[in-house]
Amino acid sequence: MIDDHLVKRFIEVRRYTESICSKLEIEDFVVQPVPEVSPPKWHLAHTTWFLEELIINKFQINYDFHDNVFRKLFNSYYKGLGEHWLQSARGQLSRPTVKEIYTYREIITQKILELMSHQKNNYELEQIIELAINHEEQHIELLYMDIKFILGANPSLPAYDEMILPAIANATSRWEFFSEGLYEIGADSAKNFYYDNEAPKHKIFLRPYAIRTTLVTNGEYLEFIESNGYEIPTLWLSKGLDWVKNNNIKSPLYWFKEDGLWYEFTLHGKQLLDKSAPVTHVSYFEAEAYARWKDLRLPTEGEFEIYSLSKKNLKKTSTFLHPESVNTLDSQLWCWTQSSYSPYPGYRPFAGAVGEYNGKFMCNQFVLKGGCFATPSGHYRNTYRNFYEPHQRWMFSGIVLAKDLI
Ligand SMILES: [Fe+2]
């Protein structure tokens, strides 16, 4: 018998994914408005494929797959596991049906529970189950992002849920100061799970710096727009300016103006822009340009991690989604950092097929730190390194400001 707590968490994460989708209409499950947004049906199936391909097939001799076509359709990007369906074509699949995918989920969930009940102190199995739980937690957040994009791409702007994801209240803004010196970042706990990209723990040297304790608000960002920030070439990185011009970018994703008033599409539907809420759905390019406009800068990932460690407030408990509604850096939105997503010194990918999980994406992306309101509560870590390309903004990203003290 595998650890009860692990079994409980496994059941919880599987149910949570399904509860998110229970609020959708059947037509919502297959839509893919842009290549990087996956249909909810695909998320339901892919998180199940991960269990079948990487766990059941490994621990059950001569395992007969539920459906061999699923191995190709729901493999995301693991080249070592064979051919996979093109990411941009996930929305082309009307079959298998949503109903068939739910049946697939139920069968594979039960097989995993059986496997866990028959194994005793199997460290290798516990490790991969832990990874699978974390993987599904990532997809929970992706589901919220993708559902928002799918509904937001529809001119009728339907609300996903009236209750979830409360508006964000004010918090007092101040600067937190850090002195020059050697600091340690990265993960090395023998007890707690972390992804391979968070290790090894290592020393970094930081010059004296300060971080502002609140996120940039919609109201502050609006001042940037009204000062023609998008039109001032000297504020932008070269690639950023190309992106702004080529895509006619004039505001964060989901913002729109009607009769002189700014609105924002949210998971609650269309809302008048709340100026006190943190600005979200901004690209790295926008975050960087905004910081430059303020004569400030984005923090490095090391600076942010040291700030988070000083707060020690990333440990979330009780409810599955983080319930607080305060405008603090490390709990509401993923904060862009100026750090390129690169291997830490001494980095080693996970062994085996899951070696493709993180390492192969360490090119042309930037690190985001903290976590957001859609991040499952067990998924927050000071050492967590999220990463996106600099033009992407459909994730729940925000802006945090830093400055040099010398
Ligand atoms: Fe995945």
Side-chain angles (χ1 to χ4, degrees):
M1 180 72 185
I2 296 288
D3 176 46
D4 278 351
H5 184 59
L6 200 64
V7 174
K8 188 170 163 280
R9 284 179 49 229
F10 173 74
I11 294 169
E12 195 178 45
V13 80
R14 297 292 284 168
R15 284 191 188 143
Y16 196 85
T17 302
E18 289 153 18
S19 76
I20 295 170
C21 294
S22 70
K23 293 169 185 155
L24 298 174
E25 298 296 339
I26 202 73
E27 291 82 358
D28 299 328
F29 280 82
V30 193
V31 181
Q32 184 175 27
V34 292
E36 65 258 44
V37 169
S38 296
K41 183 175 77 171
W42 186 88
H43 287 288
L44 288 168
H46 162 71
T47 46
T48 306
W49 165 87
F50 193 93
L51 299 171
E52 191 182 27
E53 187 76 47
L54 292 162
I55 304 179
I56 301 172
N57 187 40
K58 185 180 170 101
F59 288 90
Q60 200 169 313
I61 299 156
N62 297 325
Y63 175 65
D64 196 11
F65 276 83
H66 179 77
D67 186 326
N68 276 319
V69 179
F70 288 13
R71 297 184 71 182
K72 176 180 173 179
L73 291 184
F74 304 124
N75 177 358
S76 47
Y77 52 67
Y78 293 85
K79 311 288 182 194
L81 294 172
E83 212 186 335
H84 63 82
W85 190 250
L86 198 64
Q87 182 183 4
S88 57
R90 288 171 185 166
Q92 292 176 4
L93 302 168
S94 64
R95 307 296 171 94
T97 63
V98 172
K99 198 171 164 189
E100 284 165 338
I101 294 303
Y102 273 118
T103 303
Y104 175 46
R105 279 186 73 87
E106 187 52 34
I107 289 169
I108 298 302
T109 298
Q110 287 309 318
K111 280 186 194 287
I112 292 284
L113 290 172
E114 275 168 39
L115 188 64
M116 286 200 275
S117 71
H118 293 131
Q119 299 277 333
K120 275 190 185 148
N121 301 324
N122 186 332
Y123 181 68
E124 200 186 355
L125 178 62
E126 284 184 358
Q127 290 282 92
I128 189 80
I129 295 275
E130 183 66 58
L131 178 64
I133 291 170
N134 276 268
H135 174 248
E136 189 139 352
E137 285 175 342
Q138 271 187 292
H139 277 274
I140 282 171
E141 185 171 322
L142 284 164
L143 265 169
Y144 281 119
M145 289 159 51
D146 290 359
I147 288 168
K148 182 168 180 178
F149 197 96
I150 288 165
L151 299 178
N154 188 314
S156 63
L157 298 178
Y160 164 70
D161 189 323
E162 299 296 336
M163 302 301 291
I164 203 167
L165 312 175
I168 293 155
N170 291 317
T172 311
S173 187
R174 58 188 173 77
W175 288 89
E176 190 98 5
F177 296 91
F178 296 87
S179 54
E180 178 175 278
L182 275 181
Y183 293 88
E184 262 197 336
I185 62 165
D188 73 346
S189 164
K191 278 197 295 186
N192 300 320
F193 174 85
Y194 52 86
Y195 287 122
D196 54 5
N197 62 7
E198 299 167 56
K201 195 170 208 170
H202 62 284
K203 289 189 172 64
I204 56 165
F205 178 78
L206 296 178
R207 286 157 48 91
Y209 72 101
I211 286 191
R212 204 183 80 168
T213 56
T214 53
L215 292 153
V216 171
T217 63
N218 284 333
E220 288 177 304
Y221 198 83
L222 198 52
E223 288 173 27
F224 172 73
I225 296 176
E226 288 171 348
S227 304
N228 292 323
Y230 282 94
E231 312 293 326
I232 303 170
T234 49
L235 294 177
W236 294 85
L237 292 167
S238 174
K239 282 184 190 303
L241 194 61
D242 289 347
W243 171 78
V244 165
K245 298 287 176 208
N246 294 339
N247 298 283
N248 198 25
I249 304 289
K250 293 180 185 302
S251 64
L253 183 64
Y254 301 123
W255 283 32
F256 55 96
K257 213 172 184 180
E258 270 179 11
D259 301 327
L261 293 174
W262 279 102
Y263 292 85
E264 183 176 23
F265 176 70
T266 71
L267 284 162
H268 308 267
K270 175 183 166 182
Q271 304 272 317
L272 200 59
L273 190 73
D274 177 355
K275 289 185 183 170
S276 66
V279 63
T280 186
H281 299 294
V282 284
S283 67
Y284 176 81
F285 295 135
E286 290 166 301
E288 210 266 352
Y290 178 84
R292 184 167 301 151
W293 179 67
K294 296 292 284 184
D295 208 17
L296 297 166
R297 62 174 176 81
L298 302 178
T300 64
E301 62 175 319
E303 288 170 342
F304 192 99
E305 190 163 321
I306 297 306
Y307 165 80
S308 298
L309 276 170
S310 75
K311 299 275 130 203
K312 288 193 170 57
N313 61 354
L314 290 187
K315 201 112 184 102
K316 308 298 176 193
T317 49
S318 66
T319 58
F320 207 86
L321 276 187
H322 174 46
E324 290 173 31
S325 59
V326 287
N327 179 6
T328 52
L329 291 186
D330 40 24
S331 56
Q332 287 299 316
L333 297 173
W334 287 102
C335 298
W336 280 111
T337 75
Q338 61 170 240
S339 300
S340 294
Y341 178 52
S342 302
Y344 279 167
Y347 166 71
R348 294 279 179 276
F350 286 137
V354 288
E356 290 187 60
Y357 202 112
N358 287 306
K360 71 179 187 179
F361 300 110
M362 290 174 174
C363 179
N364 296 341
Q365 311 216 42
F366 285 85
V367 173
L368 297 95
K369 298 286 282 183
C372 75
F373 58 77
T375 309
S377 59
H379 209 74
Y380 283 86
R381 287 190 295 280
N382 290 320
T383 57
Y384 204 102
R385 304 175 79 201
N386 203 352
F387 53 91
Y388 281 96
E389 292 176 29
H391 69 281
Q392 291 178 315
R393 54 184 195 160
W394 95 105
M395 63 291 189
F396 302 106
S397 56
I399 308 174
V400 52
L401 297 167
K403 62 182 176 185
D404 295 313
L405 298 179
I406 51 170

